[in-house]
Amino acid sequence: MIRTAPYTRDLLPAALSNDRDASAFIHRFQFVEDLAREWFRRYGFQEIRTPIFERTELFTRGVGSETDIVTKEMYTWRDRAGEDGEGESLTLRPESTAPVARAYIQHQMWQRAETVRLYYIGPQFRRERGQRGRFRQFFQIGAEVLGGSDHPALDAEGIELVMGLLTEAGIPDLELRLNTVGNAAGRARFVAAIREALAPRAHELSEDSRRRLETNPLRILDSKAEQDQPLIAALPPIYDVLDEGCRAHFDAVRHYLDAAGIPYVVDARLVRGLDYYTQTVFEVVSHAPSIGAQNALAGGGRYDGLVETLGGPPTKGFGFALGLDRVVLAMPEHRAPEPQPELFVIYLGASALEPALHAVRQARRAGVAALFEPTPRSLKSALRLANKYGARFALLLGEAELASGQWVLRDLARAEQTAVPAETWLQHLLARRG
Ligand code: HAM
């Protein structure tokens, strides 16, 4: 048997899943996606769909050549050379902020006076070590705000959206962690402070962190290596080396969050694993027991230099992405009930087939979720099937019903049935389904 590739999976209708793993039920994904679209509508975001793969350079430049994502996790290949030229290096997108920034430049959205608010829902690919809540193909719901303004109210608005959405999805025990990584100058001072603190103790660092001490010291704070942790804990907080402007920005974001009634904790070690961040960074974790060790549900921040790094004009940016797989894992089962068919049409005897097909069609045109199985079966077996599908009503059509013009509508949940006139059966159904 050929199975899915490691740490990828099928998302299935609940009824067709033999391991009954609710974290892979497609209706739970659809529920959160619908909720997200509604929240984006309210906040004035429009959808963007960028390609699943991009030129590799977009991520090495955008996400950063020393990040874990770029050094270890990308699915990259060289395209076959063809009429379009040399075979170039392509990569399955590991995230979508760089692609959205590329689209912003490519379509000259920077010429517009208004702030551009875009959202996306789709798969991302990272070659990570899989575990509960960590996959190689996973789904993100993300948003990016691009334009001329870096007003801290925009940062707070984005965070408010994420928290509102997660709260309405019923995710328990949410915690918002907030920090700042400052502007380029502040970060340069922080990097100098990291170098100064760690250089004498470089031999105690993990191999990756030793290399990063040379190439990109900020990324040492992403290290999961046990031996690095005490050294990271002893570093000075970045806040101390920031200039007035950066501190004012951070304080204003906190003020707006307070005003919106959104609680947070300041986490001085939070730098996020991607190079493009400036100023505000945040992460949302859940302490729900179902979620496990991979408890970061969402992350994001400000990235005022990214568009320029990718060849566009100076542009401010703020965004976030939430991990849909993890949100579904943390969401209580009752929050997203499985959609059930409303009607199962049963025909008994060949002469009832055509009238039954007509009845299903009528129901569907009236907006009713109606099921039909053309294979002939006994009444008993058909009712068993209707129950298995979880249908609320069954319409029974046999020779007797056709002859009398009185069709039988059965409420399967209550096990009651009534005879209704053939001409008005649909009105009866619509009135009863509530
Ligand atoms: P990120 O923190 O790398 O940020 O990913 C955001 C979220 O995606 C994580 O909090 C997590 O829930 C989910 N996620 C990441 N990797 C996996 C995985 N292997 N399996 C399951 N879920 C995963 C970004 O991607 C940035 N582009 C966010 C952003 C947007 N920043 C600014 N704008």
Side-chain angles (χ1 to χ4, degrees):
M1 180 178 41
I2 302 176
R3 305 181 67 92
T4 45
Y7 310 117
T8 66
R9 58 191 184 144
D10 299 315
L11 305 175
L12 297 169
L16 302 181
S17 152
N18 52 15
D19 58 7
R20 305 294 304 161
D21 174 8
S23 71
F25 288 171
I26 192 70
H27 73 269
R28 290 166 58 80
F29 282 73
Q30 290 167 334
F31 175 85
V32 181
E33 289 167 13
D34 290 349
L35 202 59
R37 287 185 199 281
E38 167 56 18
W39 277 78
F40 286 132
R41 185 190 67 77
R42 287 188 214 166
Y43 280 74
F45 283 74
Q46 290 178 294
E47 184 173 359
I48 180 169
R49 297 190 194 183
T50 63
I52 299 281
F53 60 90
E54 297 266 1
R55 297 192 154 99
T56 302
E57 192 191 356
L58 174 65
F59 302 110
T60 45
R61 267 168 67 187
V63 175
S65 57
E66 270 301 321
T67 57
D68 275 351
I69 291 180
V70 170
T71 55
K72 303 178 187 163
E73 297 171 1
M74 293 203 306
Y75 285 99
T76 297
W77 70 98
R78 192 155 286 283
D79 202 13
R80 256 179 253 174
E83 292 158 17
D84 317 336
E86 286 298 292
E88 60 183 322
S89 182
L90 300 173
T91 292
L92 288 181
R93 64 179 186 204
E95 63 102 54
S96 286
T97 307
V100 171
R102 177 204 44 71
Y104 181 83
I105 301 166
Q106 188 169 335
H107 303 283
Q108 306 191 341
M109 296 180 209
W110 43 268
Q111 288 185 333
R112 316 183 70 87
E114 74 272 23
T115 301
V116 171
R117 288 179 170 84
L118 295 168
Y119 80 87
Y120 49 87
I121 299 179
Q124 317 288 334
F125 306 86
R126 295 183 193 174
R127 197 180 184 292
E128 294 198 84
R129 207 147 8 107
Q131 62 179 87
R132 187 171 178 77
R134 191 159 73 193
F135 304 97
R136 291 185 176 176
Q137 172 172 321
F138 59 99
F139 292 81
Q140 280 186 346
I141 297 179
E144 313 294 348
V145 179
L146 291 145
S149 170
D150 64 350
H151 199 288
L154 292 173
D155 308 28
E157 177 193 73
I159 295 172
E160 178 188 298
L161 203 174
V162 181
M163 295 308 286
L165 175 54
L166 290 171
T167 305
E168 197 177 335
I171 311 300
D173 301 317
L174 289 174
E175 181 179 291
L176 168 62
R177 295 181 180 157
L178 193 68
N179 194 24
T180 173
V181 293
N183 57 11
R187 216 169 31 252
R189 283 195 295 277
F190 186 50
V191 164
I194 296 176
R195 282 217 167 96
E196 196 183 308
L198 294 182
R201 303 180 67 181
H203 57 284
E204 295 173 51
L205 287 168
S206 67
E207 198 185 317
D208 271 355
S209 293
R210 236 179 359 253
R211 192 187 70 245
R212 286 170 169 171
L213 192 56
E214 301 301 320
T215 55
N216 190 344
L218 198 63
R219 296 275 68 89
I220 294 176
L221 274 75
D222 300 330
S223 167
K224 302 274 182 294
E226 204 54 52
Q227 72 204 86
D228 295 342
Q229 300 314 313
L231 290 104
I232 293 171
L235 290 173
I238 187 168
Y239 198 75
D240 293 357
V241 298
L242 293 184
D243 63 29
E244 249 336 284
C246 290
R247 284 188 201 202
H249 186 94
F250 190 50
D251 293 343
V253 172
R254 295 173 59 174
H255 164 77
Y256 289 123
L257 289 176
D258 292 337
I262 297 170
Y264 54 84
V265 291
V266 173
D267 176 353
R269 295 282 162 255
L270 181 69
V271 290
R272 311 258 309 123
L274 304 98
D275 271 356
Y276 46 64
Y277 291 113
T278 55
Q279 314 282 13
T280 319
V281 287
F282 74 99
E283 238 165 46
V284 185
V285 302
S286 166
H287 299 292
S290 63
I291 179 99
Q294 296 304 311
N295 65 356
L297 298 185
R302 178 156 286 291
Y303 49 88
D304 292 339
L306 176 61
V307 169
E308 225 174 328
T309 305
L310 296 176
T315 303
K316 313 293 185 186
F318 182 88
F320 64 82
L322 58 86
L324 186 49
D325 306 78
R326 293 183 190 173
V327 173
V328 166
L329 201 54
M331 186 169 66
E333 234 164 278
H334 62 80
R335 187 67 191 90
E338 198 192 344
Q340 305 288 347
E342 294 165 284
L343 179 70
F344 193 90
V345 176
I346 297 171
Y347 80 101
L348 301 162
S351 61
L353 175 60
E354 295 271 345
L357 284 168
H358 182 65
V360 189
R361 191 179 312 117
Q362 274 183 297
R364 289 172 176 162
R365 287 189 179 163
V368 175
L371 284 179
F372 182 70
E373 290 282 354
T375 314
R377 35 183 102 229
S378 69
L379 176 60
K380 205 168 144 206
S381 129
L383 282 174
R384 211 180 304 125
L385 196 60
N387 276 316
K388 201 160 161 228
Y389 278 126
R392 212 174 128 211
F393 296 97
L395 178 69
L396 309 184
L397 272 185
E399 271 155 29
E401 285 76 24
L402 289 177
S404 68
Q406 292 285 307
W407 293 6
V408 175
L409 194 57
R410 190 177 168 89
D411 185 327
L412 293 166
R414 298 198 182 135
E416 289 166 7
Q417 62 183 44
T418 24
V420 291
E423 307 77 49
T424 54
W425 76 273
L426 186 56
Q427 280 71 19
H428 281 275
L429 174 74
L430 294 176
R432 257 162 236 227
R433 75 171 177 161

